[in-house]
Amino acid sequence: MNWCRNWRFACGILFFSLWAATAIAANPNPSPTAASSAQPDDWRRLIERYIQRQAGASGLRIRVDIPLEEAGPPACGKTPRLVEVQRTRWIGPQNIGLQCDTPVWRWSVNVRVRGFGQVVQTSRAVPAGQLLGPDDLLQVESDLATEPTGVLTDLAQAVGRETTRPMRENTSLTLNTLRVPAVINVGDRITVRVVGKAFQITADGVALQKGAVGDTIRVKLSEGKTVSASVVRAGHVDVTL
């Protein structure tokens, strides 16, 4: 190594190069720093996968909208953890939190969760009191976050029911917009069964109100007395004493 005494600078570079080569060979994949421990959009994929697991159990097609202008959370030495929150509804606006242990921070972002599923709509304009049949209805895929609460998802829920108000074409239906059709109408002559603790009698009457099965209506008995009765089927009501 005598030549090194005359070429100290060159020798130093040589030794440094040998040391660097040895270090790289021993550890070809060095640990990333906190700032580079995750790809810039990893937090987006983390949130999307989490929501897909939670909301996707409903069988809906889920889409998560995260603002493109959102820069994301601070750097974390490890993959950030989601802040678990109990939710009764996953569809619609949501606030999702992330937290980190090294360094310690907590961060959240507002997202919109869209759940696409089949809903029942009118296939044409229908008046109030319309008895709905298959030709009056259709099923379309829709974002349930934009639909009214309780929107119908099965045609069988609407077929055979009456509309409670006029509806335009492509109106989404709910149970509140439909009713079971009346089996007794005002003025119908009906059979009234009066049921007591140890007796049962029948009488004739006239319906003062219309009603579907299970409804309570007012009935005028042949003797002139007015009673409240439960609709059992067409032409028959019960009075329980």
Side-chain angles (χ1 to χ4, degrees):
M1 291 295 211
N2 291 334
W3 58 275
C4 283
R5 297 193 185 102
N6 299 323
W7 299 90
R8 292 179 179 177
F9 180 73
C11 185
I13 293 177
L14 176 62
F15 284 156
F16 177 79
S17 299
L18 290 172
W19 172 84
T22 301
I24 292 174
N27 188 14
N29 296 306
S31 299
T33 63
S36 62
S37 61
Q39 296 298 317
D41 285 337
D42 276 358
W43 64 273
R44 291 178 180 268
R45 288 187 284 271
L46 180 67
I47 290 175
E48 288 173 355
R49 286 195 298 267
Y50 172 68
I51 293 176
Q52 288 284 352
R53 287 196 305 271
Q54 301 297 324
S58 61
L60 303 176
R61 182 171 63 84
I62 302 299
R63 192 181 82 191
V64 183
D65 293 340
I66 303 175
L68 293 175
E69 65 274 14
E70 179 58 59
C76 183
K78 297 181 180 180
T79 301
R81 293 180 290 109
L82 283 147
V83 179
E84 299 280 353
V85 177
Q86 293 294 328
R87 304 172 195 268
T88 57
R89 178 178 170 85
W90 276 99
I91 305 304
Q94 305 290 334
N95 183 267
I96 305 297
L98 295 176
Q99 62 184 25
C100 179
D101 296 328
T102 308
V104 176
W105 51 256
R106 179 173 287 202
W107 175 88
S108 66
V109 61
N110 291 319
V111 305
R112 178 172 289 277
V113 182
R114 303 183 185 275
F116 294 87
Q118 295 291 313
V119 302
V120 179
Q121 295 183 346
T122 52
S123 61
R124 54 193 175 195
V126 293
Q130 172 76 28
L131 185 64
L132 297 177
D135 292 341
D136 300 312
L137 305 167
L138 53 81
Q139 276 186 302
V140 298
E141 186 180 65
S142 178
D143 177 8
L144 296 190
T146 65
E147 295 290 345
T149 302
V151 64
L152 303 186
T153 58
D154 190 334
L155 289 172
Q157 296 173 295
V159 173
R161 291 178 177 264
E162 286 182 350
T163 54
T164 58
R165 59 179 176 80
M167 296 182 189
R168 297 179 179 179
E169 182 180 353
N170 298 122
T171 298
S172 295
L173 301 176
T174 69
L175 288 179
N176 290 334
T177 60
L178 303 178
R179 64 182 171 223
V180 177
V183 295
I184 292 177
N185 292 299
V186 176
D188 284 356
R189 294 189 175 277
I190 56 178
T191 298
V192 182
R193 184 176 64 170
V194 181
V195 181
K197 187 173 182 180
F199 70 93
Q200 176 179 303
I201 61 173
T202 58
D204 295 329
V206 176
L208 300 179
Q209 293 176 300
K210 71 175 184 177
V213 174
D215 287 348
T216 298
I217 63 172
R218 290 185 300 114
V219 176
K220 186 176 182 180
L221 300 177
S222 56
E223 64 186 38
K225 185 178 180 180
T226 299
V227 297
S228 293
S230 176
V231 179
V232 177
R233 61 183 185 275
H236 292 263
V237 298
D238 279 355
V239 175
T240 302
L241 300 179

